[in-house]
Amino acid sequence: NIGIVQFALRLSPGEEYEALRDFGFGTATGIPYPVEASGTLREPARWSKQSANSLAMGYEIAVTPLQLASAYVALANDGELLEPTLVKEIRAPDGQVLFRRERRVVRRVISPAVARRVRTMLLGVVEGGTGMKADLGSFAVAGKTGTARRTVNGRYAAGQHIPTFVGLFPADHPQFVILVKIDNPKGAYVGALTAAPVTKAVLEAALASRNAALNRSGLAASRLERAPDSARAAAAAATDAAIA
């Protein structure tokens, strides 16, 4: 938090606001669904002296899971924010394609070089940071944990949290962006211990399924030379101890 606040000090309120809006926060994605929330992102004119710092840490903002996943999709697609869709294609009983959704770029948010650098940082989160419980062992996964306080009637509720994890798989050339959001779990509540393991389970199921939309030939290049299991287990245990 200290580091990201120091980084935010380099930006004017307008620049910080525009960066958040560029990633799609504070506005509906336009997905064809009957009701979609636009989230909350106040204009700089309504900020307090602390708002720029709070926003840099993820507070004073409300986003939908779709908005958050779409922002990470921009990182996965070398900085291009894409228009999300619910249906990729529709086929007739004989297999004829009746409708196919074309890829639509909303805007470029960051350069490809910056997107790749951020993905490398997110890979570090899984390899040696708070996201180690999302690590598959054989394939590189990038991602980020999150643990937000839950709000009730516009105020933070004591002892209530929303842990999340967003995973990019595989890390180098992502095919999947998976977001896991857990509403007010009991017991362990940080994203590292709750949402991250669920992401791993989802990816393991996808890899085991014959029907998952994976380019399996492209996965071969993403296999990793891993440390011995004993060393990885020791690192994971150290992470758990640090979190506790």
Side-chain angles (χ1 to χ4, degrees):
N1 287 344
I2 294 172
I4 197 64
V5 167
Q6 290 178 332
F7 175 79
L9 293 175
R10 304 178 187 179
L11 306 176
S12 68
E15 289 172 332
E16 185 173 354
Y17 174 78
E18 289 174 4
L20 293 169
R21 282 300 295 263
D22 282 349
F23 273 99
F25 300 141
T27 182
T29 66
I31 195 169
Y33 197 71
V35 177
E36 182 190 8
S38 60
T40 302
L41 176 62
R42 295 177 295 113
E43 299 82 3
R46 300 168 57 194
W47 290 7
S48 69
K49 292 183 178 180
Q50 183 62 29
S51 293
N53 299 335
S54 295
L55 285 163
M57 295 186 291
Y59 285 95
E60 294 194 30
I61 185 173
V63 303
T64 67
L66 180 60
Q67 287 176 328
L68 187 56
S70 295
Y72 276 84
V73 167
L75 297 177
N77 283 279
D78 285 342
E80 290 182 333
L81 183 73
L82 304 183
E83 182 179 81
T85 183
L86 294 174
V87 178
K88 181 177 181 180
E89 65 180 29
I90 299 173
R91 297 187 180 187
D94 63 359
Q96 179 185 2
V97 177
L98 303 178
F99 167 81
R100 177 176 287 126
R101 179 71 175 186
E102 299 298 329
R103 182 179 187 271
R104 181 176 180 274
V105 177
V106 178
R107 70 179 69 89
R108 172 164 292 283
V109 181
I110 53 178
S111 70
V114 171
R116 289 192 292 269
R117 185 166 184 177
V118 173
R119 289 203 303 269
T120 299
M121 296 168 67
L122 296 176
L123 174 61
V125 173
V126 177
E127 289 189 329
T130 58
M132 291 182 67
K133 287 189 175 294
D135 189 5
L136 287 176
S138 55
F139 293 98
V141 179
K144 183 68 182 74
T145 58
T147 307
R149 294 176 61 186
R150 191 168 178 266
T151 59
V152 177
N153 297 324
R155 294 183 177 275
Y156 292 125
Q160 298 189 35
H161 300 85
I162 299 178
T164 58
F165 185 84
V166 186
L168 281 63
F169 173 80
D172 48 357
H173 299 290
Q175 298 184 32
F176 283 177
V177 171
I178 299 175
L179 183 148
V180 174
K181 168 182 173 286
I182 302 177
D183 192 6
N184 198 28
K186 304 304 179 184
Y189 63 85
V190 295
L193 301 179
T194 54
V198 175
T199 303
K200 178 180 179 179
V202 170
L203 287 172
E204 288 176 334
L207 287 168
S209 173
R210 295 181 178 180
N211 299 320
L214 282 169
N215 177 2
R216 296 188 183 274
S217 62
L219 290 178
S222 297
R223 284 189 174 275
L224 297 177
E225 292 294 332
R226 313 300 287 181
D229 290 342
S230 58
R232 300 184 63 77
T239 301
D240 290 349
I243 293 171

